[in-house]
Structure formats: structure tokens, C-alpha cells
Amino acid sequence: MSGELVYLTCRVNGEEVSLHVRPEEIFVDVLRDRLAATGTKVACDLGACGACTIIVNGNPTASCGLFAWQAEGADIQTIEGLANNGNLDPVQRAFVENSAFQCGYCTPGMIMLARALIDRDPAPSRADIRNWMGANICRCTGYEMIIEAVEKAAALQQEACNE
Amino acid sequence: MNETAPPLNVVGEGFARTDAVPKTTGTATYTVDVSFPGMLHAKVLRSPHAHARLTAIDATAARAMPGVHAVITRDQLEGLNPTYGYFIKDQPIVAIDKVRYIGDAVAAVAAETERQAVEALEKIVVEYEVLPTVAAIESAMADTAPELFEEEPMGVVPAYGQGASGARRLGINNCYRFSYETGNAGAFEGCDHVFEDRFLFSRDQHFHLEPFVSVARMEGETIDVWSSCQNPFPLRKELARVFNHPENMIRVQVPYIGAGYGAKNNCKTEPIAILLAKLSRRPVRFCMTMEENFLTQSQHAAILNVKTGVMADGTFVARSGHIWLDSGAYSDASPLVAEKAGYRLPGPYKWKHLDIHCDCILTNTTPAGPYRGFGGTQASWASESQIDIIARSLGRDPLDLRLQNLKDLGEAYVPGESGVDSDLRAGLNLVADRIGYSDRQSGDGRGMGLSVGFKDAGGVNKPAQARIRITTNGGIYLHCGTVEIGQGVQTAMSQIVAELLNAPLDRVSYPALNTDYTPFDQGTNASSAIVVMAMAVQQATLKAKQKVMEFAAGQLDCSVEEIELDDWSIRKGNESHPLPIMIMRYYGGTGYEFTGEGFFKPDIDHSAPLETQCVSWEFGWGAAEVEVDRDTGLVNLKQLVVSGDAGQAINPLVCRGQDEGSAIMGLTGALFPCMIYDGPILMNGNGLDYRVPLATDIPDGFVSILQEQGHGPGPFGAKSLGEGCMLPVASAIANAIEDAIGVRIRELPLTPERVLAAIDDAQSP
Amino acid sequence: MYTHATDAGWISRSHQAIAPFRLVRPASIEEALEAAAEENASFIAGGIDLVRRMRGGDRWQTLVDISGLSEMKVTSDEGDHLRIGALTSHWEIETGELIRKRLPNLQAAWRTIGNVRIRMAGTLGGNILAREAGYDGLVLLGVMGAELVFVTSSGEAVVIAGTGAPLPDRPALLTSVRIPISADTGLAFDRSLKPVVSVAVCKSGDTATVGVGCAFNSPRYSTIRQGEDAQSISSHFPDAIDNPMGGAAYRSRMVGVLAARMLAGGNGL
Ligand SMILES: Cc1cc2nc3c(=O)[nH]c(=O)nc-3n(C[C@H](O)[C@H](O)[C@H](O)COP(=O)(O)OP(=O)(O)OC[C@H]3O[C@@H](n4cnc5c(N)ncnc54)[C@H](O)[C@@H]3O)c2cc1C
Ligand code: FES
Ligand code: FES
């Protein structure tokens, strides 16, 4: 048996998206297969690792565990939406400058997770950063360079605001 | 470094990685992102039994299911050489006569959607005759144990040099033995003390985030396969054998890889994807789930018996050891891991006699294969734990005892081997000082431990080739077969090329690997890139440069000695001559490319135990401080200090990432539960139940210190890095636990329950 | 193991093989109950547990999305009780102003659940109705004697957590949880040994309730009186789960160790 298609309207990286989705369709496939936004990655497929993290209404969210229709009306940001006309977001810049990645597979999720933190708290303490970033798994880096990059991203953003 | 060397411009700088922007903007392409119109999805039916004979299999109903384009059971293996492996070809594409572990592939379907593939698999009927199982090393070796292979699979024992040997099928389920011996066996008799200990090592899973995945399609009769794979050339060779297909009609392409840590070697998803593509004539994607990763490859669990003879003054004399590796259900890379575990067991100490055996024992569990550290992790765990046991027994400080016995810089590891290329004492003192070892307060639940992780690096008899192309306008392409798997090789190699060509880093590109045109490499492994491949890269670059210089000298009517390459111009005295103009004047307006080829291979040397001398020695010095909760057994890691020696860091940020990443990977085997088997059933083989370290698990006192001692054999004095710092972690922590509570634990992982049991044991009279 | 087994073998699905279902989005509790009364229907709140299980092979004919039922998101002060709506997310519990004032210890304990992604998406109701032995919500609410307020087609049904009373069968809808304010002062929680065992204690007068997660198929509770040896609480519980993840003897002993420790600390009897 198959359910009726559901009409979904949401904003992805600032653009209005409307499409029909199957009830069982998962949001990460809307991104990867329908919108050709393959930056978001899937790893554990269980909500545990955070490789698929996107920002939904300001909240870092595992897109592997979200039915597409659950995004109805939501404002969604993905890794593709951060850089503005080729100018990297402060979080991206900090990850680049600090080499806070290796294989890069966790990186889009890590960056979105960090982005959501700095959106809420522009000057998080190191302990806050460790705690928050503890949501996502990176098997490559040992995390210290990621934590330092998030600290730096907050500083870069402050600088940009002060200018 | 020699005194006349000019200052470095690019090498040694912590530049942003050359893959930074693609990887931070989501534009880097991985195999999971590769897609073709009409692409089908493969799914696999896996054995529910740990050991069973396959008496019947019927896939008729599956073939009739909607969306299904191809189905593989053993019947579709006709005409192929359907088994693969490294030394021993024992693993079938899908089960033929037997299944040998829970998760063994039995059948595969390619359908238009994954759900259709799953629904078709549900229609396959299989009859099994269940056989007795062996789920652990000891039961698998018992006289009465059921054999996984009643008949000897096809395979080889390679040639070894001085003191080393290999053998197959020496006992039940024993698929390979590596042995090494040197010195006089009577040496133990002259020792004042002999220590015998048994250590157990649990198995971690790589937990690479990008799964095993490939996309295969037939382009005419050419097999075109995109794979998340770290040894595409040996894979091509193996696929050619399995499919009886000409090598030049197999193309393996490797985009960015979401890490591997050793797992992504040889056949994994590729044979099934290719066979389904051949049958369906459609592109086929076979992407495993993380649960399937756990059923495909793991590290080796091990039992290690170590016997060490020392003099009363602490001088190390003799060591013998017997290691048994749990190989899981197929030999995979076990024989190679056995070589290394056995060869590395002595550690970098001055021995007079060594006698070591390492056996690979097949069990009805997930096949074990290459895993970062490659046997060195197991060996270092036992070796470095026992050194503390000896020190305590002799009433010596473990730091002192190590300093007394470590090899000197340049001293041969064993007869016929190359000399160690780091100052081991300097490294050990460095981490000991940093953690505050000599001022520590031992006991009362708090303590510190040290360890020296060690491995030979650079692979064995490893050839590498590289090619440089420089375009009219100075665009540099570096073609080499080391895959960017996260280790930063693209950046490091590009920095070497840029340095040698006096060019800015952004002029160098590192095209993704394609076996059709990338020069040969044996594989991305053994921390070999910077000491083996980099030598080929250096040679290719210098040859290309030489061509440019000779061309320019000819154009300027002078000698090569009179000119210098300055970015993409030629400087002659005060004059600057842009190369593009010179090139187009001579080669025509459409331009030209200069090329250079490079090659490197260590010489065959029968006096070296592994037939070639080790290219570089890799070390990881570690120090840990712990606080142990005596009531719960919980080990609270307070500090972890690790250090590796890069010789000369090509990019210090990349080096730091390697050291820290490997140390935290090592922490998994030390303090996390690892793979938990209930008999042959894996209990925690998924991303939710399996615990790997998170940012919140890392103590604030975690530091890595990068050493650049300058003795490496690679370009600019670089040496191998990237695995060393995982090696000392578990033993440093176990040594710290003994320092804290006086209890020695010989079994990993150091879970609270195990630590508490050891505390209880120590207290019971 | 998130694999789906047939007689012939195991199939590991990804989320792309989730079985189709009909989606219902009710506007009221009544509509929700009505939709859920259909055969093989399930509620879905945040969905993180349900999606995970459907990926593993669970099938539902109908999913009833309750996330729009705003009356189930309210926290209200009822004097001696705080009522928290079942749709309240972990994050809202962790940051809620009223909860901070009235149930500070519960709030602190709640902050240790999972991670920020899970806490933002997961709900109080989903945590309880997932019926997982390792989840923390019911361990904490059980020792506090919270009232779990369900509505069924035949009206409201209240289950006092921690009494061992069974949770009502589907399609009962948990609308809110009423937590006695007085219980908060005596609350402490130790999850340092998860997933082997977790222990919560709640002291009230001269007795303390001890709740245990992970060690049994569902959370278990017992009480201990002033003067009793706190470590002996272990013997109040049946045999714990015994498997290679954690031995029964260890789990059971840790119940005593952790409970005694918390009771000897700020929450001493
Ligand atoms: C990585 C990870 C880590 C986690 N760590 C922790 C942890 O440390 N501690 C912990 O306690 N939990 C943990 N969890 C679990 C998490 O708290 C729960 O998954 C979450 O609370 C579920 O909420 P939900 O709203 O998403 O549930 P859903 O998935 O929507 O629902 C779960 C179940 O409850 C039913 N249900 C939901 N709401 C109601 C209701 N109001 N009335 C009746 N039935 C209802 C649904 O029908 C379904 O059967 C973790 C989960 C993950 C993925
Ligand atoms: S892939 Fe979504 S959380 Fe791991
Ligand atoms: S960079 Fe590889 S997992 Fe994080």
C-alpha cells in the first residue's frame, strides 16, 4: 500500500521550495536527490553521527531521521547555502584556516552544527563548544582542531560585526 | 638538514589544505555522490548463520519482482574466478558452498529502487545446514574445532629474507603463520629474570563515515568502476583475475574518500556491483549501510604471549613471543598483518635474541583486515605493557628502564635492517616532561604511564610512480596514485612540488585518481606517501623542471647554470623572461606541456627480513594520566600527551591532525567497548550502539607535540607520520592505571567492569 | 542490530527502504485519537525514534503526526505540581524558565540526555513511549513519582511513574506529565556508567526512591529507608541483564555503589 503524496513547501538556503513528497521520503534525499544538493552526507543513518546535520529553523537537525513532510514551512540551511557569492562563511573560513577536517565527510555536518551554535551564542566558551560539538562524530581529527576552529569562527564573526 | 640548503618557501608552512574549499562547501565529490542516469541500487542478502552449508538457494521469485534487473546467487559465478583475497584467495563474491559468519553475502539484487531490491531479496529461498561454530581464537584452534575451510584455498607464501618465514595451514583454522628469529636461542639462559605475560587485545571497527561504496557500469566491454578505495591498482589487478577481464579494460576511478583507516583495500563492494552491472547492463550503485560496514571488515582481536629475558641491571636481552590474530571468517589481509604484528613485537629496543611467531586464526566472525597501525597496535599494547611490568618488578622507574634500552639513532632495528631515524630518547623525554612525569604523585587513584609506539613504515618493497605536467601558462598537474583519504597527501605533495618549482601552491593541481592515466601506485597505506611516493614525485618534478630549464636556456642562448626558475618566469641576471611567451614562440600559439616522470622503489635485499629494508621508522610517544574510581572501575583520563616525529613537517597543520586523529582512534581500543560479540553474534554493530570517542570524551589535557628531528629519508628530511600516535595510547593508559592503583590489567579494552574485576582480584588473598 | 531478518538471511536497509504509510495530521487531540484507533497506526512526535525503527523494518499503515497539537506543548505551574506537555522537547525542558525555577535538579539532569541535536528534536512523550530500557526520562520521572497523563478514547488515564504500573497500550496519547515540585530537592542522577547502568535517586523525608535504567528490560525502582545500608539497595532488584555488554553482577553492584554515593552526597538521607 502506498500513501498519498504530501505537498511540501519550505525554504532551503533562502529559496522557496515546493514539491510533492512520498510520506516515507526522508529529507536528506530531498536535498541530495531532488535538489542536487549532495553536500549533506549520510553515514550512520540512525541519528547518531550527525554527518547529515542541517539547520532547521535554527536547530541543528539530523536530516537522515526527518521525514520530508516534517520540514513543512521550515527555514532550512545546508552547507551549500553558507558561502555568499564565493565568500566563505566565518565558520567555513575558520575550518579552512585551521585545517579542521581531514577526509571531509563529517565536515558539512560539523560546520552546520557549529553555525547553529554561533547563531545562538556568538561568544561560546571552550567548554560550551566541546559540549555542543559533542553531538557529531569525526573519526579523523581527534576534535581539537575542530574545537579551535569553532572558537576562531566566533572571533572572525565578531570581527566582521565590529567592522 | 645540510647547511647549504636554501630556505624553504612552501614546505614547512601551515597552508590551508588544497582540498579545503571543496570540503568545507559541500562541493567535494565522494563515491556516494556519483550517479548515472538509469542507475540501479544493489542490496545484499546476508547469512543469518555463523557457519552453515548452503544446501539450496532459489531466486526465481526474486527475479520476477518489480524493478529487478539482476540477481546474483552462486549460479551467476560460473566462468569467473569467484574468490578473492591478498595472499590467499578464499573469499567468494557470494557464498558458494558455505557461509562462514553472520553477515556473509549470500545473494545480491539490483533494482530500480532500494526498496524494490529489499522486497526482491525477501523472496529468495535459502536452505542452510547449520554447522558448529567457532567464535574466538582459542576455540577455533581446538583439536575438535570445526574447520572453516576443509580444503586448502589457492594462495601463496611470499619470499622472505634473513630470519623471516611464512607458512600455511599449520593447524586447524590456522590460515597463515609468520615467524622471525635472530640471535642465539640460548640467550634466555643467561638472563637474571625472565617475564612471561599473556595479553589480550579486543577489536575495534574502523568506523569510517563514508561507507563501503562503489558505482559500476559497463562502457562497451570496459568495466568502469568508481570506488571509495585506497588501493585502486591492486584492486584493478584482482578484478581482472576475478572477472577474467583484460586489465586495460578495467578502469577504477577514485574521487574523494570519506576515510578508510585501512578498511578500504581490495575487493569490498566492487565485485558485486560489477557483476550486477554486467548482468543488467545498467550502472549499479552498491552502497553499504554502516551496519554492513561492521559485517565487512574489522581490526584483529589478538592473544599475545610475550616472554622477555633481562639482566639484573635492567639490560634487555631476549624476547620471544607468540601472537594469535583473530582473522574472522576469511584470510583477507591477515597474513600481511601477521607479518607486521610479529615483526613489530620487539619494539625499538636493543635485543640480542628474538623468536616470534604470529598465527592467523579463522573464526566465524566478521573478516579482519588492515586497520591503522597494522598489527603494530596489538604489538605495542603487549610490548609496552610488559616493559612497565618488568620495571616495577625490578624496582626501576619505567622511564629509566626504557631510556636504558631504547635503540640509538641510526642503529639497525634487527640485523640486515635500516637504522632507526628518530632519537627515541628525545621523544620519550619530551612527552614525559610535558605531562610532568617525574613530579607525579603516584597512587591514591591517580597515576601516569608512558609508552613508545613503534612500527616500520613505508610498506614492503613498494614501488611508486609519479608524473608531472606543466602547461604553457605554468599550471602544474601532479599525477600520482596516492589517494586523498583525509591524510592531507594532496596538500603535502603539492607543497613539495611547489617548493621544487619555486611556484605558489595554488598553481599545483592533484587530479583525482583514474587507473587509465594515473601512474601506478601500490596503495595508500603504511604511512608510505611521504617517504616512498614523495620520492617519485620529487624525481618527476625535478625532471620536468630540468626540461623547462634546458628549453629556456636554449631559447635564451645561455647555459642552464645562468638561469633560475622564478615562479613561471626565467630569471637571468636582472632580466625576467616570462615562459608563456617563450613557449608559444617555439611550440606555437596552442602551447605545450612539459612532463617529468618519477619512480621510486627500495632495493631488494635478502639480508633484510622482509626482503627490502624498511624505508622509515614511525614512532608515537605517549604519556597518560588517569584517575581511577576504585568503586566503579571507571577510568577518568586526565591528560593524554602524544608526539610524533615528522622529520621535516611538509605542512605542520596536516601533521598535527594526523597525530591527534590517530591518538583518539587509539583511545577507542583503550577505553571504549569495541566490538562486543555474544558468541558469533555482533551485539553493537551499528552507529548508535557502537561508541567511538566524541568531542565530549576528550580531556582538556589532550595535547600533541610535533617533533621535526630532521632525520627522515623523504624529501626535505620528511618521514612517515599518521599511525604512530595511536600505538602508545592503550599501553600508556594501562601503565598509568597501575601507577594509580597498583593493579595490572592485561586485557583490552579497559572498561569499568574489567578494571573493577582486576581491582577485586588484586584485593582477594 | 538494525537489520531485517527473513528465514533466508539478513537485509540491512537504509532509510530509502522505509515502508510506505498514510500520513494523518490531526488538528485536535480527539482527531488524533480517532486516527490512531485505526489498525496499525502510530503517533509520531519528533520522529527520531520512530524513523530509526522504521528504517530497521517496522511497518505502520498510518502515522498520526501529533506535532501540531499545541495544547501538548504547554508548561504550567499547578502549585504543588508542574505540568509539562508531552510535546515539550528535551531542549525546552533544559532551557525552560518555569522549569528552571521549579524543578532545577530535574532540569540539570535532563541536560545530560543525548546531545544537542537529539535534545532539540526529541520530545518528552517520545522519550517515554519509545519504551527503551536505556532512556533516561522514565528513570528520572519514576523516582519523582510523576503522573503520566494519557487520554484514550474512553477518557483520561493517569499512570504514576515508578510504581511499576504498565503504560497503557496504544492508541493512548500521553498529553502531559505532572511532576511533584517537592520531589525535585532530593533528586540526583548518575549516568556515568551508561549504557551498562544508570541510577537516579530521589529522597523524600526518611525514604529515598532509587530508579535504575539500562540494567533491566525497562526501568525498575525500589525504596530505601533511613538507616538502611544504601549499598544493599542492589538486593532489592531482580537479576540484571547479563550479557557481554555488562555482567549482571557488575550492573547490580553498581546500582548500590552509585545510589549510596548520591545519597551520601548532597542528597543524603
Ligand atoms: C544519538 C541518540 C542519543 C540519544 N541519547 C539519549 C539519552 O542519552 N537519553 C535518553 O533518554 N534518550 C536518548 N535518546 C533518545 C531520545 O531522547 C528519544 O529518541 C526522543 O526523546 C524521542 O522523541 P520523539 O519525539 O522524537 O519520539 P518519536 O520518534 O516521535 O516517538 C517515539 C515513540 O513514542 C510514541 N509517542 C511519541 N509521543 C507520544 C505521545 N505523546 N503519546 C503517545 N505516544 C507517543 C511514538 O508513537 C513512538 O512509538 C537518544 C537518541 C539518539 C538518536
Ligand atoms: S547519518 Fe544522520 S545522524 Fe548519522
Ligand atoms: S574529517 Fe573524516 S570524519 Fe571528520
Side-chain angles (χ1 to χ4, degrees), chain B residues 264-282:
Chain B
K264 290 177 176 168
N265 277 290
N266 255 34
C267 298
K268 293 289 174 292
T269 51
E270 299 83 359
I272 284 180
I274 291 169
L275 188 51
L276 288 169
K278 284 183 80 157
L279 293 171
S280 66
R281 293 277 145 184
R282 293 267 289 260

Side-chain angles (χ1 to χ4, degrees), chain B residues 226-245:
Chain B
W226 296 73
S227 175
S228 183
C229 154
Q230 54 191 106
N231 70 341
F233 290 94
L235 175 68
R236 179 184 64 184
K237 180 164 172 281
E238 185 76 330
L239 292 172
R241 190 186 60 77
V242 167
F243 288 98
N244 285 318
H245 204 82

Side-chain angles (χ1 to χ4, degrees), chain B residues 160-405:
Chain B
Y160 290 104
Q162 186 183 182
S165 60
R168 293 183 59 196
R169 291 174 79 87
L170 290 179
I172 292 182
N173 292 316
N174 186 330
C175 73
Y176 198 82
R177 168 179 289 182
F178 171 80
S179 300
Y180 177 68
E181 191 176 358
T182 186
N184 180 351
F188 275 107
E189 275 141 44
C191 293
D192 295 323
H193 305 276
V194 174
F195 297 84
E196 292 192 61
D197 293 281
R198 183 178 180 81
F199 298 93
L200 301 183
F201 187 93
S202 179
R203 67 211 275 194
D204 186 16
Q205 208 271 342
H206 308 68
F207 210 94
H208 41 80
L209 290 190
E210 187 192 27
F212 292 113
V213 55
S214 61
V215 177
R217 61 182 192 132
M218 297 303 295
E219 196 183 74
E221 287 313 304
T222 293
I223 295 173
D224 186 25
V225 56
W226 296 73
S227 175
S228 183
C229 154
Q230 54 191 106
N231 70 341
F233 290 94
L235 175 68
R236 179 184 64 184
K237 180 164 172 281
E238 185 76 330
L239 292 172
R241 190 186 60 77
V242 167
F243 288 98
N244 285 318
H245 204 82
E247 246 176 28
N248 61 314
M249 293 176 75
I250 299 176
R251 181 189 307 132
V252 183
Q253 306 200 54
V254 184
Y256 282 119
I257 303 189
Y261 319 110
K264 290 177 176 168
N265 277 290
N266 255 34
C267 298
K268 293 289 174 292
T269 51
E270 299 83 359
I272 284 180
I274 291 169
L275 188 51
L276 288 169
K278 284 183 80 157
L279 293 171
S280 66
R281 293 277 145 184
R282 293 267 289 260
V284 173
R285 176 183 199 251
F286 180 16
C287 180
M288 290 197 193
T289 63
M290 192 177 265
E291 287 82 345
E292 288 178 296
N293 296 346
F294 276 94
L295 297 175
T296 301
Q297 187 92 110
S298 83
Q299 193 183 25
H300 287 83
I303 300 173
L304 306 99
N305 283 358
V306 190
K307 176 178 162 189
T308 300
V310 304
M311 303 309 291
D313 70 352
T315 307
F316 290 1
V317 178
R319 176 169 271 183
S320 71
H322 202 141
I323 305 172
W324 294 269
L325 297 175
D326 185 339
S327 301
Y330 295 101
S331 64
D332 199 274
S334 289
L336 290 88
V337 176
E339 284 177 0
K340 296 303 188 169
Y343 198 51
R344 291 165 181 171
L345 187 66
Y349 297 97
K350 297 167 183 275
W351 304 106
K352 297 188 181 60
H353 166 64
L354 294 167
D355 178 12
I356 290 156
H357 301 287
C358 183
D359 287 322
C360 305
I361 307 300
L362 297 169
T363 64
N364 296 116
T365 61
T366 293
Y371 175 105
R372 197 178 201 167
F374 214 86
T377 325
Q378 291 85 341
S380 290
W381 158 243
S383 171
E384 290 294 308
S385 292
Q386 199 191 37
I387 287 170
D388 266 47
I389 293 173
I390 295 169
R392 282 171 198 283
S393 162
L394 299 181
R396 292 282 302 276
D397 185 279
L399 171 60
D400 263 9
L401 188 69
R402 285 185 173 83
L403 294 175
Q404 179 184 345
N405 289 288

Side-chain angles (χ1 to χ4, degrees), chain A residues 41-53 62-65, chain C residues 117:
Chain A
K41 298 289 186 268
V42 175
C44 73
D45 208 7
L46 285 175
C49 74
C52 63
T53 302
S63 59
C64 73
Chain C
R117 282 187 292 102

Side-chain angles (χ1 to χ4, degrees), chain B residues 58-97:
Chain B
D58 180 359
T60 321
R63 290 175 201 285
M65 290 292 287
V68 172
H69 289 254
V71 179
I72 305 175
T73 67
R74 59 186 175 187
D75 299 335
Q76 278 64 50
L77 305 182
E78 275 295 316
L80 307 184
N81 297 308
T83 55
Y84 52 82
Y86 292 67
F87 288 3
I88 304 166
K89 311 293 181 194
D90 58 0
Q91 184 161 7
I93 297 174
V94 292
I96 299 172
D97 55 335

Side-chain angles (χ1 to χ4, degrees), chain B residues 339-581:
Chain B
E339 284 177 0
K340 296 303 188 169
Y343 198 51
R344 291 165 181 171
L345 187 66
Y349 297 97
K350 297 167 183 275
W351 304 106
K352 297 188 181 60
H353 166 64
L354 294 167
D355 178 12
I356 290 156
H357 301 287
C358 183
D359 287 322
C360 305
I361 307 300
L362 297 169
T363 64
N364 296 116
T365 61
T366 293
Y371 175 105
R372 197 178 201 167
F374 214 86
T377 325
Q378 291 85 341
S380 290
W381 158 243
S383 171
E384 290 294 308
S385 292
Q386 199 191 37
I387 287 170
D388 266 47
I389 293 173
I390 295 169
R392 282 171 198 283
S393 162
L394 299 181
R396 292 282 302 276
D397 185 279
L399 171 60
D400 263 9
L401 188 69
R402 285 185 173 83
L403 294 175
Q404 179 184 345
N405 289 288
L406 281 167
K407 290 262 175 201
D408 301 316
L409 177 65
E411 189 177 348
Y413 172 56
V414 292
E417 259 299 4
S418 59
V420 299
D421 50 0
S422 288
D423 179 341
L424 285 153
R425 295 186 186 87
L428 187 57
N429 282 323
L430 185 72
V431 294
D433 286 350
R434 176 61 192 248
I435 205 166
Y437 188 76
S438 47
D439 301 328
R440 74 191 186 282
Q441 304 277 311
S442 301
D444 230 9
R446 197 135 172 166
M448 291 187 187
L450 302 174
S451 173
V452 182
F454 150 82
K455 68 190 285 276
D456 54 303
V460 173
N461 191 14
K462 192 171 179 184
Q465 283 171 272
R467 184 156 199 251
I468 289 281
R469 290 164 46 211
I470 313 177
T471 68
T472 311
N473 289 312
I476 305 164
Y477 292 91
L478 166 56
H479 293 271
C480 80
T482 308
V483 295
E484 177 53 66
I485 196 163
Q487 81 283 48
V489 71
Q490 186 185 84
T491 309
M493 295 293 186
S494 299
Q495 281 183 250
I496 291 171
V497 172
E499 182 71 52
L500 294 170
L501 291 174
N502 210 0
L505 184 56
D506 61 8
R507 280 226 332 265
V508 187
S509 313
Y510 193 98
L513 194 149
N514 178 327
T515 54
D516 274 7
Y517 54 73
T518 306
F520 178 83
D521 178 44
Q522 190 211 57
T524 300
N525 53 36
S527 302
S528 59
I530 220 68
V531 292
V532 175
M533 181 55 84
M535 298 302 280
V537 167
Q538 174 171 266
Q539 192 183 63
T541 312
L542 293 176
K543 283 190 182 170
K545 180 178 174 187
Q546 185 64 19
K547 287 188 193 167
V548 172
M549 298 300 278
E550 283 169 8
F551 163 76
Q555 293 297 301
L556 298 172
D557 216 4
C558 64
S559 75
V560 166
E561 287 68 42
E562 291 169 70
I563 56 175
E564 267 176 56
L565 183 62
D566 176 11
D567 201 347
W568 196 232
S569 290
I570 295 293
R571 182 178 298 283
K572 183 182 171 206
N574 296 331
E575 303 162 19
S576 179
H577 302 272
L579 271 158
I581 296 169

